[in-house]
Amino acid sequence: TITNLKRADRKSIEEREVMKVTCNREALLTGFQIAASVAPVRSTRAILSSVKFEIDSKETGTLLATDLEMGVRYKVAGLDASQPFSVVL
């Protein structure tokens, strides 16, 4: 938690801009389930067990996953994002 960090670290975290996204929950859930179905449960590389969520513009996002043999790229429209960003879920 932020309270357990050193003062300098806590300040740098608090100064960062917050990334906010508003979207249709069902659309995001459907896309995440489709992408997650490709990601392996167990892998020698932990990142392959995850789904990457990229927000390219303020209205469109992409969910990505792969098992190195097959990949999925699922577009989610109708987003309201504070800024473009990407995160691994």
Side-chain angles (χ1 to χ4, degrees), residues 46-71:
I47 195 69
L48 293 179
S49 300
S50 304
V51 175
K52 184 177 182 183
F53 184 38
E54 292 181 339
I55 306 259
D56 305 332
S57 68
K58 292 188 175 190
E59 292 131 12
T60 306
T62 307
L63 292 157
L64 303 132
T66 185
D67 67 356
L68 296 180
E69 291 182 16
M70 177 174 59

Side-chain angles (χ1 to χ4, degrees), residues 7-8 11 21 23 27 32 39 43 47 49 56 62 65-66 69-70 77 80 85:
R7 177 174 278 179
K11 187 172 182 179
V21 178
C23 65
F32 184 80
S43 176
I47 195 69
S49 300
D56 305 332
T62 307
T66 185
E69 291 182 16
M70 177 174 59
D80 182 17
F85 68 89

Side-chain angles (χ1 to χ4, degrees), residues 77-88:
L79 302 177
D80 182 17
S82 61
Q83 64 184 6
F85 68 89
S86 64
V87 64
V88 176

